[in-house]
Every structure is written in structure tokens, then in C-alpha cells.
Amino acid sequence: MAESVVSFLLGKLSTLLEDEVKLISQFRNEVVFVKNELDRIRAFLRSADTAEDDDEEIKVWVKQVRDVAYDAEDIIDDFLYRFKQSKRHGGFYAYLSKMVRGIKNLKARHRIAYQLQCIKLRVTDISEGHKRYGFKELGSSSSYGTKPCYFYELRNDARLLEDAQLVGIESQKQDLSSFLMANSNCSQLQVAAVVGMGGLGKTTLVSSVYKDIQVRNHFHQLQAWVTVSQLFKLDEVLRQIIQQFFKAMNQLVPDEVENSTDTHLLKKTIVDFLSDKRYLVVLDDIWDVDVWEALKVSFRNNKNDSRVMITTRNVDVASSSTKDLGGKTLILTPLTNDDSWTLFCAKAFQGSSCPSHLEKISRNILKRCEGLPLAIVAIGSMLATKDINKEDEWEIIDRSLRAELHGNRKLKGMQAILSLSFNDLPYHLKHCFMYISLFPEDYLIKRNVLIRLWIAEGFIEEMEGRTLEEVANGCLNELLNRSLCQVNERYRDGRIKSCRVHDILRETMLLKSKEQSFAVVTNKESNRRLPERVRRLSLHEGTKIDPFGDNELSQLRSLLVFTKEIHVWNNFKSSFFEEGSRLLKVLDCTYAPMTTFPQHITKLYHLRYLSLRGTNVSSIPPSISNLQHLETLDLKSTLVRQLPNEILRLHCLRNLTIYDHKGSGFKALKGMNSLSSLRKLCFVEAKLGDTELLVSIQKLTQLTNLGILKLGVEHRDALFSSLHELKYLRSLHLYSRTEDEEEVFNLQLKSLSSLRLLQRLYIRGCVEKSVEGLQDLTNLSKIRLVGCKLQVDPLKSLQDLPNLVSLELFKGAYDGESLCFKAWSFLKLKKLYIDEMDKLRRVIVEDKALSHLKIMWLKDCKLVNKLPLGIEHLRSLEVLNLINLGVELIETIYNGSQHENYLKVKHISNVFIGKWNIETGFQGQRL
């Protein structure tokens, strides 16, 4: 982790030396020296980071490196802050202020020079330290970078478990066994890849299948099992495979092979030996695609129905292996609540039932395990040592699980296994993943919010040909593929909406975060006093902290507020906005009990991310222009409806979000084209009779997400002239002043044909007859049409869009009486919503249409008295909602299981039928 801190600082030093050469001429030598020394030290840090958990000397050295990197960053940021203050004013004011500031600036520069000299001396001492302690051997010595013995004990124990001890894997074992013993086409070699986060039981499941007598007989006992792991040495793995295969055939391994390190010879030996045999190989714990690439050539397809099983935490490994050789991927999921309870009781109470007085506490502890077998077994085994008659001992564990993870020997193995995935991350992803632990337990982390926070923190590095947002999305996908995060919710078009991290893994990261001074999280169990060094602070519900002392938050970079408690907020803001850090980069006060904009915020020169979402703030001061580095301003669901003109000076602003669910945005400002870095602008209100906004937008060529409200017919020509220039748009909202005025807007959708990258389109208002032109936007994945009053069936133009997964037609989007989904149309559509179509009488689905449709929603279409004709063809349909439709239709389905309408929908797993209104809610039934 220290490597991450140093690498981050080195990037900042490089930028400083490039961009501020004249500015720091008097400090240049010190900065260059510090940079060069840290660059040399970084070469040792990866091995040191791995070894620090098991070596106190290394731990002290790594901490010294981390601390000096943090302090150097503080000095640089403080220097930039002070220099900016001295340059802020020009002209006559500058002349007057020069005399006042002269002595103060001179003192500040002397202090900074002294601080840099101190950093230089500390770095020199640290550099000498790694020589004194023999760290030059890091990476080559077998004592470093190895896993503790309890890691191997746990992995080996997983293979020794009897089937009677296993819980919740019966169906997965049967599925995997059947695949191994099935006859494939042309008797091909195939792969079974078992993937999931650490501790889910991948090794346990595969071992159970591997030992199964039927499986062993199917492969004539010719099996081999090797654990690959992170310490991968190709020749050793190949020799293990050879030794096991030769032993199974009662043959001796030739000496020239037994002692060889020639990987080519070893691979050829395996290929030749297996050329005419049916075999099973298990490659347990593969971490990287490159490892699979190095091993796969050893397993040639001899057309004997041979199989390779692999376990991995990395989705990319599973995908690559099954694509190369064919086969299947089994994604493990956590245990169900019932299976979790069975396993917990087996460990905590040695198979006996849970005493009634401990059940509530036990279930609460078990909830934290979230179905993770490793955690359930480890924590259950630890609790087995506690006296079941002493409820207070169990209650202590319940409220101090994080401390137990850190100090209890019985949980060390679990923590080590969970930490392996973190240790395997490249340095830039370690920061990203640690940051996720700042969010509360069970918190649904919005994807867009997370990647903007990462960017604001400086964790995301620019890559040629990719935007910062695209790089950040790639980082999130990498964490997901490594099974460190899970997707919790998706948008209707399939994009990730929110993610989360397993609670036990989060607790492990919080321990690392605390040890490495990365962040502090406060809640009802926290100490009232903050640690001496706080770089990131996350306030959760129940926080009780004492007022801050002088300089206690002087190093603070991020403040995230996750509490709505007024007394917590009042206690905090009274000291923070007086003593708060001027080095703050991130201030997230989402849903904080805030009513006015704190003026102190505008003094935070380094601020890059500001969220007041969900607060009662109603105005933004003109001094917002001081925040020259601000990248994200999130005012969603606030009372702000107008911005000061001074905001147009924020040339780094990338995301400007102001809207609520009532359809309000903010009033357009004259000269918005000056915000040339904007990528998201939602939602801005066009002025009646004024096209200046629409003309300005064409200069915002970096926009990917645009939302405009209160459009009228007078805006149409200027709008489409500007949209033609926005080549990077992915999401576009165009809402007319009111959907009831037929003459307003009269949008010509064919004018959007130049937006080739557009993925999501939301239109509210009258459209000129048809949606012709949209068929050219082949990247469209979601379309919502509201009140468009189309005269021509929109399905004709939309039916062949290759990526469309969600279609929503609301409030008279189409004035016709019939919607017909033709054969072989809408082949990727998964969700269809039809709501308030007053003239619609029938929906027709031809055979082979909508072949992947999962959800169909028909609501408030009073003239629809029959089920969609051909609904029985929708074999993939899982949810059908029929609400406030014609009375005749509802009554016929209610009539019972023999009615033809009922028979048409009985294959659908979830059918909801009934009525809904705002006063009584939903009234109906589920078939």
C-alpha cells in the first residue's frame, strides 16, 4: 500500500516540476532530490508491502516511507494554496496588498523551504535504512512475499472435508459432476471454471467433485490437482502435474524430467503422456490470465472427453479459459440464509441447536457474514470457544467484530485469504478499493458517484485515447472481475447503477485503512477523539466526536458525511468550518441536515468534488468562483433553482447536476459556453423566446450527458444545430415546456442522426409524426418517449436497433390503436413499458419477436381488453404487469385456471393483475 502512496506522490511531483518550474525555482533542487530518492525506494515497496504483516522491522520502515510521502504531499499542496492566494487579485488591489502580504509570504516561503529540507533529510535516512536492514534482498529472499502457514492449512483443510460436513453445495456439485462426465461433441477437451470471491468455497466444491468415486472411475483414476496461487512458478506446477500423472499410472518420472527446469520439455512430456488418455486436471487458485495462457498448451485436445477444472477469483480468467477450450463457467453465490444458519450452528454449537437466549445475537453476527462460508466457519469456530452461558461474551463479539478480526488468532487465516485479493491489485486499484470502505455497511454505492470521487482524489491516471471517466469505469470493472465488489443494481438498459462490497471484506479493508493512515470511519462504536493523522474522514450514523483541536484536520483531503442526525452535524460543522482543512479535495454532504451554504467552503482552494445533494440549501454564493479546481458540483434534490454568473469561471467543472424528481432544473445562464470541460449538464431550463442557451451548447463539445427542460418550438432550429456538434453524447434528455400543448416543440428526430454514440434517449413532447431517423443510431440501448403523439407506428423504425434493451412508451407517445411487434424484431429487448396510451386497443406479438423480453408492463391503457395477441410466444418473459386495463381483460383472467387467457400466461413466473390509484394503492392479485 505504501507503494500506492509513493507512486501517487511521484505523479504529483512530476506534474509540479513540469507546470510550475518558475514558481518553485528556489525549491526545485529539494523537490528533484526527494522525487529521485522516492523513485528508487519505490522499487522495494511492493515486496515490502507484502512482507510487512509478518516482519516488524519492515512494517516500521514502510510506515516511515508512507508518512514522509504524506507529509511531502501536504507541503506541496500547502505551497500551491499559498501561492494562489498571493496571485488572486490584480491591478491596484495587488499593489496595496503586496505590502501587507510581503512579510507573511516571506515567512511562509521560509517555512516551506525548511519543511522541504526536513523531508530531504528524512528521505535520505529512509533510503539508508533499507540498506541497513538488508531490504535490498526483498523479492529474492524466500522469507519475503510468502504466505503464512495458516493460509496453506486452510486451503488444505478445504480438500479434507467430508461430504457430510459440506453445506449448501449439493446442486452445484451435481451440476459440475454431470458436466465432467458428459460426452461432448466430438469428445472435445473442455474446461469447467469455478469463479467467485475468496472464501466462497470454490476449492471445497471442486475438491468434493474431484474425490467423487463416479468421477474418479470416469477418468480411470488419471487425475492431477495443483495449487497455482500468486507465487506462480511454471516449472514447479508442471512437475507436480507430471509426478501425479506418472504416479497414477505406476510409472517413474524420468530423471531428466524430474530435475528439469526447462518448461518446454516439461510441457512436451505432459502432452505426450496424455496423448491417448482421458484425464482430469484441477488448477486451483489461478489469479491471472497470463498464468492460464502459460499452462493451457500442456493440455492438448486428444478427443477423449478430458476435462480441466480451474478455480479463480478473476472473471477474466474464467472467461478466457472457457473461450479457449470450450466448457462452462460456474459463478458461486453466497449461501442462503437457511444454509448459513445450518453451517453456523454446526461450527459454533458443534451441531447442536442454538440456545434460545443466544439466537438473536447469533443471527446478528451471522448477518455480517453475508453467506460467506469462510467467514461463517471462522467466526463460528471462534465462538465455539465461548461459554454459551455467558451472553455478555457473545454480545461483545457482536459489537466489536472488527477488533476481533484484527486481534483474534482464530480469524487470522480468514483475514489472510481475504487480503490476498487486495494484495494482488496494482497500486492504482488499491487506492480505489480502499476508498470503497469509507461507505457505510450495506450501502448501495452509486457507480457515477464513485468514479467521480476517484477522479477528484487523483486516483485515476489519464490514458491516451480514453477519458478519465472511461479509465475509472475500467477500474471498477476490474474490481468486479476480481470478485472484490458485486453489482447490486442495474439500470433498465443493463448499465451498472450501484455496487457494494461484502461486509467482512469491508471490515478487513477498514483495518488496513486505519493501519496505513488512509482514512478514518466514525460511528457509534468509535472513539470520541480522532487519530493524530486524518487524511480522509467518513462520518456515519451515531458518530460522537469531540470538537477538533488546532490543526487536527490540517491534513484532511476528503470528508464524506453519511448521517442525517442534526446534533452530529451541528457538533461537527461548528468546529470543522472554523478549523477545517484548506487542503480538502472532496466534500460530500449528501442528505446532511444543511439549510444554508457554508461560506467556508469557498475558501477550499483544492476542492474538486462538492455534493450537497438532498440538502435544503437554496442558493449558491458568488464566491463559488474561488473553487478553481472544482470538477463536480452535485445539487440534485436541493432547493437551488438559480446559479450565480460567477460559476461560469469554473473552467475545470466536468459535472453540473441540478434537478429534482418534480421536473425542475436551473435557469440557464448567459455564456455557458465558457464551461468547456463539462461532460454532464443536467438539467438546464431554456428561456421562453431566447435561444442563447442552445447556441452556447454547441461549444460544450465534451458533453456526454445533456438534459434540457422547457423547450419550445422557437428553440428547435438552434437546438439541432448545436446537437450536431456534440459528437460524444451518450445520454440526451429533451423535455418540452408541457406535454399537453400539441403545437409546442414539434421535434424532428431525424435531426439526431449525427449522434452516433448516443445510448439513451428521453423525449417528452410532441414529435413530428414519426421517429424516423432513430434507426440510424445503432448504439441506442434505451428509449423513453412521453407525450410524443406519434402518428406513425414507432416500432417500424425501432425494431432493428441491434442494442436496444429497454423501450418505454408513456402518456400518449403513440396515437395509434395497435402496436405490432413483427417476427424477428426487437431481438435484444428485455424490458417493455407501455403506460397511459389512451387510444391503444391491442398489442400484437408475432412468433420469434421479442425473443429475450424479460419484463412487460401494461398500465392505464383503458381500451385494451385483451391480452397481447401471441403473448404465449414470449418464452423468456418473467414478469407481466397488467394494471388498470380494460375490465373485460382483468375479469377473464380472474375467472380461473381453465380460461384461455390464463392458460396463455401460466408459463410466466410473475403475473400481477389489478388496479392502482394514488389513494388506495395497488389492489389485485398475483397469479
Side-chain angles (χ1 to χ4, degrees), residues 441-595:
E441 180 181 340
D442 298 326
Y443 193 86
L444 302 185
I445 306 166
K446 302 293 185 184
R447 176 185 61 90
N448 287 334
V449 169
L450 182 61
I451 65 174
R452 288 169 193 156
L453 287 168
W454 284 347
I455 291 171
E457 285 278 1
F459 299 159
I460 307 301
E461 298 178 356
E462 291 186 353
M463 294 179 63
E464 186 175 352
R466 299 176 67 184
T467 66
L468 287 173
E469 286 79 7
E470 288 169 341
V471 176
N473 269 307
C475 290
L476 178 58
N477 288 332
E478 180 75 6
L479 294 176
L480 291 167
N481 288 341
R482 289 171 177 261
S483 303
L484 286 167
C485 299
Q486 297 88 44
V487 175
N488 187 78
E489 192 177 6
R490 292 184 182 271
Y491 289 102
R492 290 173 180 173
D493 58 3
R495 292 175 299 125
I496 297 171
K497 184 176 183 180
S498 63
C499 62
R500 64 183 302 277
V501 65
H502 192 284
D503 189 45
I504 295 295
L505 187 55
R506 174 180 171 271
E507 293 289 352
T508 301
M509 290 303 101
L510 283 174
L511 286 173
K512 286 186 176 293
S513 180
K514 181 179 179 180
E515 291 171 355
Q516 299 173 6
S517 303
F518 180 81
V520 173
V521 172
T522 66
N523 52 37
K524 60 185 178 181
E525 280 101 27
S526 305
N527 293 328
R528 297 185 67 95
R529 292 293 298 174
L530 292 174
E532 181 180 348
R533 182 189 294 272
V534 181
R535 299 192 73 77
R536 296 171 185 87
L537 179 61
S538 183
L539 303 178
H540 297 184
E541 294 288 347
T543 291
K544 295 178 181 178
I545 51 178
D546 295 333
F548 308 118
D550 293 341
N551 298 320
E552 191 164 357
L553 297 179
S554 61
Q555 298 174 323
L556 193 66
R557 290 307 199 282
S558 293
L559 172 62
L560 285 72
V561 180
F562 294 101
T563 176
K564 300 178 184 179
E565 297 169 296
I566 295 177
H567 68 279
V568 174
W569 174 250
N570 288 338
N571 177 46
F572 175 76
K573 73 174 183 178
S574 63
S575 52
F576 173 74
F577 288 124
E578 292 176 7
E579 304 291 342
S581 172
R582 58 178 174 268
L583 304 181
L584 203 69
K585 291 181 179 179
V586 169
L587 179 57
D588 190 334
C589 296
T590 299
Y591 295 111
M594 184 189 299
T595 57

Side-chain angles (χ1 to χ4, degrees), residues 13-27:
L13 290 173
S14 297
T15 302
L16 185 67
L17 289 169
E18 292 171 5
D19 297 344
E20 307 286 352
V21 174
K22 295 180 181 178
L23 172 67
I24 61 166
S25 57
Q26 58 185 306
F27 310 132

Side-chain angles (χ1 to χ4, degrees), residues 693-707:
L693 166 68
L694 290 313
V695 174
S696 294
I697 282 175
Q698 67 179 315
K699 301 294 184 181
L700 307 180
T701 55
Q702 300 303 307
L703 279 174
T704 60
N705 194 323
L706 174 62

Side-chain angles (χ1 to χ4, degrees), residues 898-917:
Q898 297 307 310
H899 196 280
E900 63 174 330
N901 278 345
Y902 175 85
L903 297 175
K904 288 179 180 179
V905 299
K906 69 175 185 177
H907 68 283
I908 305 170
S909 55
N910 292 288
V911 181
F912 298 89
I913 306 162
K915 296 181 178 181
W916 184 91
N917 64 60

Side-chain angles (χ1 to χ4, degrees), residues 191 193 292 296 316-329:
V191 175
W292 166 250
K296 71 177 182 181
D316 289 338
V317 172
S319 176
S320 178
S321 62
T322 53
K323 285 181 180 177
D324 287 339
L325 299 180
K328 70 177 296 178
T329 297

Side-chain angles (χ1 to χ4, degrees), residues 172-173 175-177 179-180 189-194 202-203 205-212 215 219 223-226 228 279-286 292 299 306-312 321-322 325 328 330:
Q172 295 164 326
K173 179 182 177 181
D175 188 26
L176 204 51
S177 299
F179 170 77
L180 295 181
L189 169 68
Q190 291 187 309
V191 175
V194 181
K202 301 181 294 294
T203 300
L205 170 63
V206 171
S207 177
S208 178
V209 174
Y210 182 83
K211 294 184 297 184
D212 185 90
V215 171
F219 292 100
Q223 300 176 198
W225 178 298
V226 290
V228 181
Y279 62 88
L280 171 64
V281 176
V282 174
L283 305 175
D284 186 28
D285 201 25
I286 295 184
W292 166 250
F299 312 116
S306 297
R307 296 288 186 269
V308 176
M309 281 199 293
I310 68 172
T311 69
T312 181
S321 62
T322 53
L325 299 180
K328 70 177 296 178
L330 178 61

